[in-house]
Amino acid sequence: MNRIRYGTACLLAVWLLAVLSGCARQASANASAGTGATADGVEIVSRDFSHSGYMDSIAFLLPSGWSYESYEKMEAGENMDPYEWGFEICLDGEEEPSLLLFGSRQAGDDRFDPEGLSAETVQTGAGLTGSRYTRQITLENGELREEYYVLFDDVAGSGAVYQVYASLTPEEYADCRTSLDALVAGVSIAAAEK
């Protein structure tokens, strides 16, 4: 089953490269990762996550120069299901992650409340749909931040909520907005009960 998902992710990546040629040039291999394949310099990142009786596979296209680590947050001890899982992504040259692509048991998790904001509809090349929200906030220390949030609609066969969240300086946001949209357009999630 993982081979089928991985093959589908590879085909999706090639298709997205053709459709999003301008954005796709910004994606390339992360040689140290070892968990993805490359096609025309684009790294296809894919990993299976097990949680709450489900097996979910997340795949996406990583922009050039960006790095990532996968993670699973546990509530307590060994043999416990994770309550959140996914990828922490660092922008080009950054050491601290400023972008998350993750699944969880609930939306929000105190990162972003879209109430009162206008949503833009998004659709990935794999057929996922969702809503994208953006806003500018001022932190307590006076620093301006641009927040970028995508809440995907329910994923067939999964009991999880999938989201993308980024908190960036206005300069970072202006530089990478196209890459953020391309990353979201390349997300693929497949799920099955265990």
Side-chain angles (χ1 to χ4, degrees):
M1 188 160 176
N2 290 338
R3 263 190 180 170
I4 293 170
R5 289 181 187 150
Y6 187 74
T8 301
C10 289
L11 288 174
L12 171 64
V14 172
W15 177 80
L16 281 172
L17 284 173
V19 173
L20 302 170
S21 60
C23 298
R25 281 191 304 257
Q26 297 177 357
S28 75
N30 179 348
S32 63
T35 59
T38 59
D40 291 338
V42 174
E43 182 172 2
I44 305 159
V45 179
S46 178
R47 177 167 174 209
D48 292 340
F49 296 92
S50 179
H51 64 93
S52 307
Y54 296 92
M55 176 67 75
D56 291 4
S57 182
I58 306 173
F60 65 98
L61 303 178
L62 187 70
S64 177
W66 294 17
S67 61
Y68 72 93
E69 286 190 24
S70 60
Y71 72 93
E72 294 181 83
K73 292 184 178 177
M74 309 301 263
E75 290 180 324
E78 286 186 43
N79 301 319
M80 297 290 292
D81 279 334
Y83 67 90
E84 184 179 298
W85 55 94
F87 299 93
E88 295 177 328
I89 301 169
C90 297
L91 303 182
D92 191 14
E94 297 292 322
E95 293 185 18
E96 293 295 318
S98 51
L99 174 63
L100 299 172
L101 166 57
F102 65 102
S104 65
R105 293 187 183 147
Q106 61 190 17
D109 199 21
D110 297 328
R111 284 192 185 94
F112 194 96
D113 181 4
E115 188 173 327
L117 297 175
S118 297
E120 298 175 64
T121 301
V122 296
Q123 182 167 353
T124 73
L128 294 175
T129 58
S131 299
R132 175 177 41 232
Y133 304 88
T134 57
R135 68 177 173 200
Q136 187 175 80
I137 63 167
T138 304
L139 301 179
E140 289 179 11
N141 65 5
E143 182 183 355
L144 287 177
R145 302 295 284 186
E146 297 285 345
E147 291 188 311
Y148 179 99
Y149 178 68
V150 175
L151 176 61
F152 288 111
D153 296 334
D154 291 342
V155 174
S158 176
V161 176
Y162 281 92
Q163 305 160 77
V164 174
Y165 174 76
S167 177
L168 308 164
T169 67
E171 296 78 20
E172 289 172 330
Y173 182 75
D175 288 345
C176 73
R177 172 62 195 257
T178 301
S179 296
L180 286 171
D181 290 343
L183 185 144
V184 169
V187 172
S188 172
I189 302 169
E193 286 189 64
K194 291 192 280 185

